[in-house]
Amino acid sequence: RVIVHAADLSNPVLPTERARDWAYRAVLEFHNQAELEKKEGLPFAPFMEPHPDNVLELAKLQIGFVSFVVKPYWLALTQILPRLQHRVDQLEENLVYWNKTKEEALAKAEADKP
C-alpha cells in the first residue's frame, strides 16, 4: 500500500519538465471538473477552479501540494527506503522551480499593472 500511494504522489518527484507537464494535466482535470460542477449547480473545491494557464495559481497550488502532502510522505518513505533519496532531491529542485515560477508570475503581474 505504501508504495502504491507513493506512485500516486510521484509526479512531483519526476524530473522538472515531466513534473511540470503532469502538474498542468492534473490541474486542467481539476479545472474541468470544477467547471462541470458549477454548470450542474454543484459545490466545487475552490482550489480546482483556476485554469492551469494561470501560471501564478498553478505554481501556488503545486507549492502547497508538494510542501504539505508530497514532501512529508516521501521524506518518511526514504526513512524506510533510503535508495529513493534522489527522488526527494528532485522534489526539492522542483520546489525551487515552482517558487521561482511564482515569483516571476508575481513580478509580471506587478509590471502589467497600469
Side-chain angles (χ1 to χ4, degrees), residues 25-92:
R25 290 181 190 113
V27 173
L28 181 59
E29 183 177 336
F30 294 159
H31 170 76
N32 290 340
Q33 180 179 331
E35 290 299 307
L36 181 61
E37 289 169 345
K38 285 194 294 187
K39 182 179 174 184
E40 297 295 327
L42 299 170
F44 61 92
F47 79 89
M48 295 173 68
E49 189 173 20
H51 192 282
D53 287 342
N54 181 332
V55 177
L56 177 59
E57 292 301 320
L58 176 62
K60 288 174 16 181
L61 184 59
Q62 290 309 298
I63 292 165
F65 176 60
V66 170
S67 297
F68 298 108
V69 177
V70 180
K71 185 175 178 179
Y73 192 86
W74 275 82
L75 286 174
L77 185 60
T78 59
Q79 296 301 305
I80 301 165
L81 301 167
R83 292 176 64 183
L84 294 176
Q85 180 60 45
H86 68 287
R87 295 289 96 211
V88 173
D89 296 342
Q90 181 64 56
L91 178 142
E92 294 290 354

